[in-house]
Coordinates of all heavy atoms in Angstrom, one line a residue:
M636 N 63.9 -145.6 -15.9 CA 62.7 -146.1 -15.4 C 61.7 -145.9 -16.6 O 61.4 -144.8 -17.1 CB 62.3 -145.2 -14.3 CG 61.0 -145.5 -13.7 SD 60.7 -146.8 -12.6 CE 61.9 -146.6 -11.3
P637 N 61.0 -147.0 -16.9 CA 60.2 -147.0 -18.1 C 58.8 -146.4 -17.6 O 58.5 -146.4 -16.4 CB 59.9 -148.5 -18.4 CG 60.4 -149.2 -17.2 CD 61.4 -148.4 -16.6
L638 N 58.0 -145.9 -18.5 CA 56.6 -145.4 -18.2 C 55.8 -146.7 -18.5 O 56.1 -147.5 -19.2 CB 56.3 -144.3 -19.2 CG 57.2 -143.0 -19.2 CD1 56.8 -142.1 -20.3 CD2 57.0 -142.3 -17.9
E639 N 54.6 -146.6 -17.7 CA 53.7 -147.7 -17.9 C 52.6 -147.2 -18.8 O 51.8 -146.1 -18.4 CB 53.1 -148.1 -16.5 CG 52.1 -149.3 -16.8 CD 51.1 -149.6 -15.6 OE1 51.0 -148.7 -14.8 OE2 50.4 -150.5 -15.6
Y640 N 52.3 -147.9 -19.8 CA 51.1 -147.7 -20.6 C 50.1 -148.8 -20.0 O 50.4 -150.0 -20.2 CB 51.3 -147.9 -22.1 CG 50.0 -147.9 -22.9 CD1 49.4 -146.6 -23.2 CD2 49.4 -149.1 -23.3 CE1 48.2 -146.6 -23.9 CE2 48.1 -149.0 -24.0 CZ 47.6 -147.8 -24.3 OH 46.4 -147.7 -25.1
N641 N 49.1 -148.3 -19.5 CA 48.0 -149.4 -18.9 C 47.0 -149.7 -20.0 O 46.6 -148.8 -20.7 CB 47.4 -148.7 -17.8 CG 46.6 -149.7 -16.9 OD1 45.5 -150.1 -17.3 ND2 47.2 -150.0 -15.7
L642 N 46.8 -150.9 -20.2 CA 45.8 -151.4 -21.1 C 44.4 -150.9 -21.0 O 43.6 -150.9 -22.0 CB 45.8 -152.9 -21.2 CG 47.0 -153.6 -21.8 CD1 47.0 -155.0 -21.6 CD2 47.3 -153.2 -23.2
T643 N 44.0 -150.3 -20.0 CA 42.8 -149.6 -19.9 C 42.6 -148.6 -21.1 O 41.6 -148.4 -21.5 CB 42.7 -148.9 -18.5 OG1 42.7 -149.9 -17.4 CG2 41.2 -148.3 -18.3
G644 N 43.7 -148.0 -21.4 CA 43.7 -147.1 -22.5 C 43.3 -147.6 -23.7 O 42.7 -146.9 -24.6
C645 N 43.5 -148.9 -24.0 CA 43.1 -149.5 -25.3 C 41.6 -149.5 -25.4 O 41.0 -149.2 -26.5 CB 43.6 -151.1 -25.4 SG 45.4 -151.2 -25.6
E646 N 41.0 -149.9 -24.3 CA 39.5 -149.9 -24.3 C 39.0 -148.4 -24.6 O 38.0 -148.2 -25.2 CB 39.0 -150.5 -23.0 CG 37.5 -150.6 -22.9 CD 36.9 -151.4 -24.0 OE1 37.5 -152.5 -24.4 OE2 35.8 -151.3 -24.4
K647 N 39.7 -147.4 -23.8 CA 39.2 -146.1 -23.9 C 39.3 -145.5 -25.3 O 38.5 -144.7 -25.9 CB 39.9 -145.2 -22.9 CG 39.3 -145.5 -21.4 CD 40.0 -144.5 -20.4 CE 39.5 -144.9 -19.1 NZ 38.2 -144.5 -18.8
Q648 N 40.4 -145.9 -26.0 CA 40.6 -145.5 -27.3 C 39.6 -146.1 -28.3 O 39.1 -145.2 -29.2 CB 42.1 -145.9 -27.9 CG 43.2 -145.0 -27.2 CD 44.5 -145.4 -27.8 OE1 44.6 -146.6 -28.2 NE2 45.4 -144.5 -27.9
R649 N 39.2 -147.3 -28.1 CA 38.1 -148.0 -28.9 C 36.9 -147.2 -28.7 O 36.1 -147.0 -29.7 CB 38.0 -149.4 -28.5 CG 39.0 -150.2 -29.3 CD 38.7 -151.7 -29.1 NE 38.7 -152.2 -27.8 CZ 39.7 -152.7 -27.2 NH1 40.8 -152.9 -28.0 NH2 39.7 -153.2 -26.0
N650 N 36.6 -146.6 -27.6 CA 35.4 -146.0 -27.3 C 35.3 -144.6 -27.5 O 34.3 -143.9 -27.4 CB 34.9 -146.3 -25.9 CG 34.6 -147.7 -25.6 OD1 34.1 -148.5 -26.6 ND2 34.9 -148.2 -24.5
D651 N 36.4 -143.9 -27.7 CA 36.5 -142.5 -28.0 C 37.4 -142.3 -29.1 O 38.6 -142.0 -28.9 CB 37.0 -141.8 -26.8 CG 36.8 -140.2 -26.9 OD1 36.6 -139.7 -28.1 OD2 37.1 -139.5 -25.9
P652 N 36.9 -142.3 -30.4 CA 37.8 -142.2 -31.5 C 38.5 -140.8 -31.7 O 39.4 -140.6 -32.4 CB 37.0 -142.5 -32.7 CG 35.6 -142.2 -32.2 CD 35.6 -142.6 -30.7
R653 N 38.0 -139.9 -30.9 CA 38.6 -138.5 -31.0 C 40.0 -138.6 -30.3 O 40.8 -137.5 -30.5 CB 37.7 -137.5 -30.3 CG 36.4 -137.4 -31.0 CD 35.4 -136.4 -30.1 NE 35.2 -137.2 -28.8 CZ 34.7 -136.6 -27.7 NH1 34.5 -135.4 -27.8 NH2 34.6 -137.3 -26.6
G654 N 40.3 -139.5 -29.5 CA 41.6 -139.6 -28.9 C 41.6 -138.7 -27.6 O 42.8 -138.3 -27.2
L655 N 40.4 -138.3 -26.9 CA 40.5 -137.4 -25.9 C 40.7 -138.2 -24.5 O 40.3 -139.4 -24.6 CB 39.2 -136.6 -25.8 CG 39.0 -135.8 -27.0 CD1 37.6 -135.0 -26.9 CD2 40.0 -134.6 -27.2
G656 N 41.3 -137.7 -23.6 CA 41.3 -138.3 -22.3 C 42.5 -139.3 -22.3 O 43.6 -138.9 -22.8
Y657 N 42.3 -140.3 -21.6 CA 43.4 -141.3 -21.5 C 43.4 -142.3 -22.5 O 42.3 -142.8 -22.8 CB 43.3 -141.9 -20.1 CG 44.3 -143.0 -19.8 CD1 45.6 -142.8 -19.5 CD2 44.0 -144.4 -20.2 CE1 46.6 -143.8 -19.3 CE2 44.8 -145.3 -20.1 CZ 46.2 -145.1 -19.6 OH 47.1 -146.1 -19.5
P658 N 44.6 -142.7 -23.1 CA 45.8 -142.1 -22.9 C 46.0 -140.8 -23.7 O 45.3 -140.6 -24.8 CB 46.8 -143.1 -23.4 CG 46.0 -143.8 -24.5 CD 44.6 -143.8 -24.0
C659 N 46.7 -139.9 -23.3 CA 46.9 -138.6 -23.9 C 48.0 -138.8 -25.1 O 49.1 -139.0 -24.8 CB 47.4 -137.5 -22.9 SG 47.6 -135.9 -23.7
R660 N 47.5 -138.9 -26.3 CA 48.4 -139.1 -27.3 C 49.7 -138.2 -27.4 O 50.8 -138.6 -27.5 CB 47.7 -139.0 -28.7 CG 48.5 -139.3 -29.8 CD 47.8 -139.2 -31.2 NE 48.7 -139.5 -32.2 CZ 48.9 -140.8 -32.7 NH1 48.1 -141.8 -32.3 NH2 49.7 -141.0 -33.8
R661 N 49.4 -136.9 -27.1 CA 50.5 -135.9 -27.1 C 51.6 -136.2 -26.1 O 52.7 -136.1 -26.3 CB 50.0 -134.4 -26.9 CG 50.9 -133.4 -27.0 CD 51.5 -133.2 -28.3 NE 52.6 -132.2 -28.4 CZ 53.8 -132.5 -28.8 NH1 54.1 -133.6 -29.4 NH2 54.7 -131.4 -28.7
F662 N 51.1 -136.6 -24.8 CA 52.0 -137.1 -23.9 C 53.0 -138.2 -24.3 O 54.2 -138.1 -24.1 CB 51.3 -137.5 -22.4 CG 52.2 -138.3 -21.6 CD1 53.0 -137.5 -20.7 CD2 52.3 -139.6 -21.7 CE1 53.9 -138.1 -19.8 CE2 53.1 -140.3 -20.7 CZ 53.9 -139.5 -19.8
W663 N 52.3 -139.2 -24.9 CA 53.2 -140.4 -25.3 C 54.1 -139.9 -26.5 O 55.2 -140.4 -26.7 CB 52.3 -141.5 -25.7 CG 51.6 -142.0 -24.5 CD1 50.5 -142.1 -24.0 CD2 52.4 -142.9 -23.6 NE1 50.4 -142.6 -22.8 CE2 51.6 -143.2 -22.6 CE3 53.7 -143.5 -23.5 CZ2 52.0 -144.0 -21.4 CZ3 54.1 -144.3 -22.4 CH2 53.2 -144.6 -21.4
E664 N 53.6 -139.0 -27.4 CA 54.5 -138.5 -28.5 C 55.7 -137.8 -27.8 O 56.8 -138.0 -28.4 CB 53.7 -137.7 -29.4 CG 52.7 -138.3 -30.2 CD 51.8 -137.4 -31.0 OE1 51.6 -136.2 -30.7 OE2 51.1 -137.8 -31.9
M665 N 55.5 -136.9 -26.9 CA 56.5 -136.3 -26.4 C 57.6 -137.3 -25.5 O 58.8 -137.0 -25.7 CB 55.9 -135.1 -25.3 CG 55.3 -134.1 -26.1 SD 54.3 -132.8 -25.0 CE 55.3 -132.7 -23.5
A666 N 56.9 -138.1 -24.9 CA 57.9 -139.1 -24.2 C 58.8 -139.9 -25.0 O 59.8 -140.1 -24.9 CB 57.0 -140.1 -23.3
A667 N 58.1 -140.3 -26.3 CA 58.9 -141.0 -27.2 C 60.0 -140.1 -27.8 O 61.1 -140.6 -28.0 CB 57.9 -141.6 -28.4
A668 N 59.6 -138.9 -28.2 CA 60.6 -138.0 -28.7 C 61.9 -137.8 -27.7 O 63.0 -137.5 -28.0 CB 59.9 -136.6 -29.0
E669 N 61.5 -137.9 -26.4 CA 62.6 -137.7 -25.4 C 63.5 -139.0 -25.2 O 64.3 -139.0 -24.4 CB 61.9 -137.2 -24.0 CG 61.4 -135.9 -24.0 CD 62.6 -134.8 -24.3 OE1 63.7 -135.0 -23.8 OE2 62.4 -133.8 -25.1
G670 N 63.0 -140.1 -25.8 CA 63.7 -141.3 -25.6 C 63.3 -142.2 -24.4 O 63.9 -143.0 -24.1
C671 N 62.1 -141.9 -23.9 CA 61.5 -142.6 -22.9 C 61.3 -144.1 -23.4 O 61.0 -144.3 -24.6 CB 60.3 -142.2 -22.2 SG 60.6 -140.5 -21.4
T672 N 61.2 -145.0 -22.5 CA 60.8 -146.5 -22.8 C 59.5 -146.7 -22.1 O 59.1 -145.9 -21.1 CB 61.9 -147.4 -22.4 OG1 62.1 -147.4 -21.0 CG2 63.2 -147.2 -23.1
A673 N 58.8 -147.8 -22.4 CA 57.6 -148.0 -21.8 C 57.4 -149.6 -21.5 O 58.1 -150.4 -22.3 CB 56.3 -147.6 -22.7
I674 N 56.5 -149.8 -20.6 CA 56.2 -151.3 -20.3 C 54.6 -151.3 -20.5 O 54.0 -150.1 -20.5 CB 56.6 -151.8 -19.0 CG1 55.9 -150.9 -18.0 CG2 58.1 -152.0 -18.9 CD1 56.2 -151.6 -16.5
V675 N 54.2 -152.3 -20.9 CA 52.6 -152.4 -21.0 C 52.0 -153.1 -19.7 O 52.5 -154.2 -19.3 CB 52.2 -153.2 -22.4 CG1 50.8 -153.4 -22.5 CG2 52.8 -152.6 -23.6
G676 N 51.1 -152.5 -19.0 CA 50.6 -152.9 -17.9 C 49.2 -153.3 -18.0 O 48.5 -152.9 -19.0
V677 N 48.6 -153.8 -17.0 CA 47.3 -154.4 -17.1 C 46.5 -154.2 -15.7 O 47.2 -154.4 -14.6 CB 47.2 -155.8 -17.5 CG1 47.8 -156.8 -16.6 CG2 45.7 -156.2 -17.7
D678 N 45.4 -153.7 -15.7 CA 44.6 -153.6 -14.4 C 43.9 -154.9 -14.3 O 43.1 -155.3 -15.0 CB 43.5 -152.6 -14.4 CG 44.1 -151.2 -14.2 OD1 45.1 -151.0 -13.6 OD2 43.4 -150.2 -14.5
A679 N 44.4 -155.9 -13.4 CA 44.0 -157.2 -13.3 C 42.9 -157.4 -12.3 O 42.9 -158.3 -11.5 CB 45.2 -158.1 -13.0
H680 N 41.9 -156.5 -12.5 CA 40.7 -156.6 -11.6 C 39.8 -157.8 -12.1 O 39.0 -158.3 -11.2 CB 39.9 -155.3 -11.5 CG 40.8 -154.2 -11.1 ND1 41.1 -154.0 -9.7 CD2 41.4 -153.2 -11.7 CE1 41.8 -152.9 -9.7 NE2 42.1 -152.4 -10.8
V681 N 39.7 -158.1 -13.3 CA 38.9 -159.2 -13.8 C 39.8 -159.8 -14.9 O 40.6 -159.4 -15.5 CB 37.6 -158.6 -14.4 CG1 36.7 -157.9 -13.5 CG2 38.0 -157.6 -15.6
L682 N 39.4 -161.1 -15.0 CA 40.1 -162.1 -15.8 C 40.2 -161.6 -17.3 O 41.3 -161.7 -17.9 CB 39.6 -163.4 -15.8 CG 40.3 -164.6 -16.5 CD1 41.8 -164.6 -15.9 CD2 39.6 -165.9 -16.4
P683 N 39.2 -160.9 -18.0 CA 39.4 -160.5 -19.3 C 40.5 -159.4 -19.5 O 40.9 -159.2 -20.6 CB 38.1 -160.0 -19.7 CG 37.0 -160.8 -18.6 CD 37.8 -161.0 -17.5
A684 N 40.8 -158.9 -18.4 CA 41.9 -157.7 -18.6 C 43.2 -158.3 -19.1 O 44.0 -157.5 -19.6 CB 42.1 -157.1 -17.1
F685 N 43.3 -159.8 -18.9 CA 44.6 -160.3 -19.5 C 44.4 -160.5 -21.0 O 45.2 -161.4 -21.5 CB 44.9 -161.6 -18.7 CG 45.3 -161.3 -17.3 CD1 44.6 -161.5 -16.3 CD2 46.7 -160.9 -16.9 CE1 44.9 -161.1 -14.9 CE2 47.1 -160.5 -15.8 CZ 46.2 -160.8 -14.8
A686 N 43.6 -160.0 -21.7 CA 43.4 -160.4 -23.2 C 44.7 -160.1 -23.9 O 45.1 -159.0 -24.0 CB 42.2 -159.5 -23.8
W687 N 45.3 -161.1 -24.5 CA 46.5 -161.0 -25.3 C 46.5 -160.0 -26.4 O 47.3 -159.2 -26.8 CB 47.0 -162.3 -25.7 CG 48.4 -162.3 -26.4 CD1 48.6 -162.4 -27.7 CD2 49.6 -162.2 -25.8 NE1 49.9 -162.3 -27.9 CE2 50.6 -162.2 -26.7 CE3 49.9 -162.1 -24.4 CZ2 51.9 -162.2 -26.5 CZ3 51.3 -162.0 -24.2 CH2 52.3 -162.1 -25.1
K688 N 45.2 -159.8 -27.2 CA 45.1 -159.1 -28.2 C 45.2 -157.5 -27.8 O 45.7 -156.7 -28.5 CB 43.7 -159.2 -28.9 CG 42.5 -158.8 -28.1 CD 41.3 -158.9 -29.1 CE 40.1 -158.5 -28.2 NZ 40.1 -157.0 -28.0
D689 N 44.7 -157.2 -26.6 CA 44.9 -156.0 -25.9 C 46.3 -155.5 -25.7 O 46.7 -154.5 -26.0 CB 44.0 -155.7 -24.6 CG 42.6 -155.6 -25.0 OD1 42.2 -155.5 -26.1 OD2 41.8 -155.7 -23.9
Y690 N 47.1 -156.6 -25.3 CA 48.6 -156.3 -25.0 C 49.2 -155.9 -26.4 O 49.9 -155.0 -26.5 CB 49.1 -157.6 -24.4 CG 50.6 -157.6 -24.3 CD1 51.3 -156.8 -23.3 CD2 51.4 -158.1 -25.3 CE1 52.7 -156.8 -23.3 CE2 52.9 -158.1 -25.1 CZ 53.4 -157.3 -24.2 OH 54.8 -157.2 -24.1
E691 N 48.9 -156.7 -27.4 CA 49.6 -156.5 -28.6 C 49.2 -155.3 -29.3 O 49.9 -154.6 -30.0 CB 49.2 -157.7 -29.6 CG 49.9 -159.1 -29.3 CD 51.5 -159.0 -29.2 OE1 52.0 -158.1 -30.0 OE2 52.0 -159.7 -28.5
E692 N 47.8 -154.8 -29.0 CA 47.2 -153.5 -29.5 C 48.0 -152.4 -29.0 O 48.4 -151.4 -29.6 CB 45.8 -153.5 -29.3 CG 45.1 -152.3 -29.9 CD 43.6 -152.3 -29.6 OE1 43.1 -153.4 -29.5 OE2 43.1 -151.3 -29.4
G693 N 48.2 -152.6 -27.6 CA 48.7 -151.3 -26.8 C 50.2 -151.4 -27.3 O 50.7 -150.2 -27.4
K694 N 50.9 -152.4 -27.4 CA 52.4 -152.4 -27.8 C 52.5 -151.7 -29.2 O 53.3 -150.8 -29.5 CB 52.8 -153.7 -27.8 CG 54.4 -153.9 -27.7 CD 54.7 -155.3 -27.2 CE 55.3 -156.1 -28.4 NZ 55.8 -157.4 -28.0
A695 N 51.6 -152.2 -30.1 CA 51.7 -151.7 -31.5 C 51.4 -150.1 -31.5 O 52.0 -149.3 -32.3 CB 50.6 -152.3 -32.3
W696 N 50.4 -149.6 -30.8 CA 50.1 -148.3 -30.6 C 51.4 -147.5 -30.2 O 51.6 -146.3 -30.7 CB 48.8 -148.0 -29.7 CG 48.4 -146.5 -29.8 CD1 47.6 -145.9 -30.8 CD2 48.6 -145.6 -28.7 NE1 47.4 -144.7 -30.4 CE2 48.0 -144.4 -29.2 CE3 49.3 -145.5 -27.5 CZ2 48.1 -143.1 -28.5 CZ3 49.3 -144.3 -26.8 CH2 48.8 -143.2 -27.3
L697 N 51.9 -147.8 -29.2 CA 53.1 -147.2 -28.5 C 54.3 -147.2 -29.7 O 54.9 -146.3 -29.8 CB 53.6 -147.8 -27.4 CG 52.7 -147.6 -26.0 CD1 53.2 -148.7 -25.0 CD2 52.6 -146.2 -25.6
K698 N 54.5 -148.2 -30.2 CA 55.5 -148.4 -31.4 C 55.2 -147.5 -32.5 O 56.1 -146.9 -33.1 CB 55.7 -149.8 -31.7 CG 56.5 -150.7 -30.7 CD 56.7 -152.2 -31.3 CE 57.5 -152.7 -30.2 NZ 58.1 -154.1 -30.7
S699 N 53.9 -147.3 -32.8 CA 53.7 -146.4 -33.9 C 53.8 -144.9 -33.6 O 54.0 -144.1 -34.5 CB 52.1 -146.5 -34.3 OG 51.2 -145.9 -33.3
L700 N 54.0 -144.6 -32.3 CA 54.4 -143.3 -31.9 C 55.9 -143.1 -31.9 O 56.4 -142.1 -31.5 CB 53.9 -143.0 -30.6 CG 52.3 -142.9 -30.6 CD1 51.8 -142.6 -29.1 CD2 51.7 -142.0 -31.5
G701 N 56.6 -144.2 -32.1 CA 58.2 -144.1 -32.0 C 58.7 -144.6 -30.5 O 59.9 -144.3 -30.2
M702 N 57.8 -145.0 -29.7 CA 58.1 -145.4 -28.4 C 58.7 -146.8 -28.3 O 58.4 -147.8 -29.0 CB 56.8 -145.5 -27.4 CG 57.2 -145.9 -26.0 SD 58.1 -144.7 -25.0 CE 57.0 -143.4 -24.8
Q703 N 59.9 -146.9 -27.6 CA 60.5 -148.1 -27.4 C 59.8 -148.9 -26.3 O 59.8 -148.5 -25.1 CB 62.1 -148.0 -27.1 CG 62.7 -149.4 -26.9 CD 64.0 -149.4 -26.4 OE1 64.6 -148.3 -26.3 NE2 64.7 -150.5 -26.2
V704 N 59.1 -150.1 -26.6 CA 58.6 -150.9 -25.6 C 59.4 -152.0 -25.2 O 59.9 -152.8 -26.0 CB 57.2 -151.5 -26.1 CG1 56.4 -152.4 -25.1 CG2 56.3 -150.4 -26.7
I705 N 59.6 -152.1 -23.8 CA 60.4 -153.2 -23.3 C 59.5 -154.1 -22.5 O 58.6 -153.7 -22.0 CB 61.6 -152.6 -22.4 CG1 61.0 -151.7 -21.2 CG2 62.6 -151.7 -23.2 CD1 62.1 -151.3 -20.2
D706 N 60.0 -155.4 -22.5 CA 59.2 -156.4 -21.7 C 59.6 -156.6 -20.3 O 59.0 -156.9 -19.5 CB 59.3 -157.7 -22.5 CG 58.5 -157.7 -23.9 OD1 57.5 -156.9 -23.9 OD2 59.0 -158.3 -24.8
T707 N 61.0 -156.4 -20.1 CA 61.5 -156.5 -18.8 C 62.5 -155.3 -18.4 O 62.9 -154.8 -19.4 CB 62.2 -157.9 -18.5 OG1 63.3 -157.9 -19.5 CG2 61.3 -159.1 -18.7
L708 N 62.6 -155.1 -17.2 CA 63.6 -154.1 -16.7 C 64.9 -154.7 -16.8 O 65.3 -155.8 -16.5 CB 63.3 -153.6 -15.3 CG 62.0 -152.8 -15.0 CD1 61.7 -152.6 -13.7 CD2 62.1 -151.5 -15.8
P709 N 66.0 -153.9 -17.4 CA 67.4 -154.4 -17.4 C 67.9 -154.8 -16.0 O 67.5 -154.1 -15.0 CB 68.1 -153.2 -17.9 CG 67.2 -152.3 -18.6 CD 65.8 -152.7 -17.9
G710 N 68.5 -156.0 -15.9 CA 69.1 -156.5 -14.7 C 68.0 -157.2 -13.9 O 68.4 -157.8 -12.9
L711 N 66.7 -157.2 -14.3 CA 65.7 -158.0 -13.5 C 65.2 -159.1 -14.3 O 64.2 -159.8 -13.7 CB 64.6 -157.0 -13.1 CG 64.9 -155.9 -12.1 CD1 63.7 -154.9 -11.9 CD2 65.5 -156.4 -10.9
A712 N 65.6 -159.4 -15.4 CA 65.1 -160.5 -16.2 C 65.6 -161.9 -15.6 O 66.6 -162.1 -15.2 CB 65.4 -160.4 -17.6

């Protein structure tokens, strides 16, 4: 079961360079070390939430931590 990285975290990271709060960098580092996988999710309350650059940014951040990002669940593609 993959973990969801919600793109709300991208915005919060931009606004808080200290890395405090969500997303918790240490949590994602530990999850990556344990071999967890992740999907990138979006809060689709407003149209700008679907910004492709945010998706790519979130995916790149997870990969920089060593997290395997998957686009679809096995068997459901």
Side-chain angles (χ1 to χ4, degrees):
M636 174 79 55
L638 301 170
E639 180 200 12
Y640 174 80
N641 193 284
L642 288 179
T643 300
C645 288
E646 184 64 29
K647 290 189 182 285
Q648 283 181 332
R649 279 192 290 270
N650 293 329
D651 186 356
R653 299 170 297 161
L655 301 175
Y657 173 83
C659 177
R660 182 180 183 90
R661 183 69 184 127
F662 168 82
W663 288 101
E664 289 170 341
M665 291 170 35
E669 290 296 320
C671 295
T672 58
I674 59 172
V675 178
V677 62
D678 279 337
H680 302 283
V681 293
L682 191 56
F685 289 101
W687 187 254
K688 71 173 183 62
D689 287 346
Y690 173 81
E691 292 299 331
E692 182 181 327
K694 200 162 110 173
W696 186 77
L697 290 169
K698 287 184 175 187
S699 77
L700 300 177
M702 175 70 66
Q703 180 186 359
V704 179
I705 59 175
D706 293 323
T707 59
L708 293 172
L711 296 179

